[in-house]
Amino acid sequence: MLVARAGHPALDLPVTDALLRYPLILPNPGAIIRQSVDQYLAAMGLSDLTPVFETVALPAAQTLLEGSEMLWFISRGVVAREIARGSLAALDLKSDYMAGAVGLTRKFTFDEDSHADLLARLLHRRVEEDCARR
């Protein structure tokens, strides 16, 4: 998602105009979503935009957004509550390009008996149960 503080003037602009006009906060280079954001910007011919800040941390970005005209590319789940509360608003990207899979990400392999593996199995079981109820 591309978000801004509530009432931001970019909310009334086409996304390309908003991206060219206002400073950007991007996910840090190691973040999973950064590649998608970079590809999105490149597809729009905006790969040369330089972020003024890089983070996926809500507290840092929200403070910056509230006191500025910045825009932030971030995963929906990170800002869902703030959008529901109305403190942040999403710009319409008019594209499914930024949509991606949701799941567990592991940077290394866990033993089958590890706590992390147990957590993953419990989460998968819960999702299967919830899906079966629907």
Side-chain angles (χ1 to χ4, degrees), residues 36-47:
S36 295
V37 171
D38 288 345
Q39 290 172 350
Y40 175 81
L41 292 171
M44 295 182 68
L46 301 174
S47 57

Side-chain angles (χ1 to χ4, degrees), residues 36-78:
S36 295
V37 171
D38 288 345
Q39 290 172 350
Y40 175 81
L41 292 171
M44 295 182 68
L46 301 174
S47 57
D48 59 340
L49 292 179
T50 303
V52 295
F53 201 81
E54 295 175 326
T55 189
V56 291
L58 177 61
Q62 189 166 15
T63 299
L64 291 169
L65 292 173
E66 289 172 352
S68 74
E69 299 294 315
M70 293 180 183
L71 306 175
W72 185 30
F73 276 104
I74 191 62
S75 298
R76 180 183 315 275
V78 174

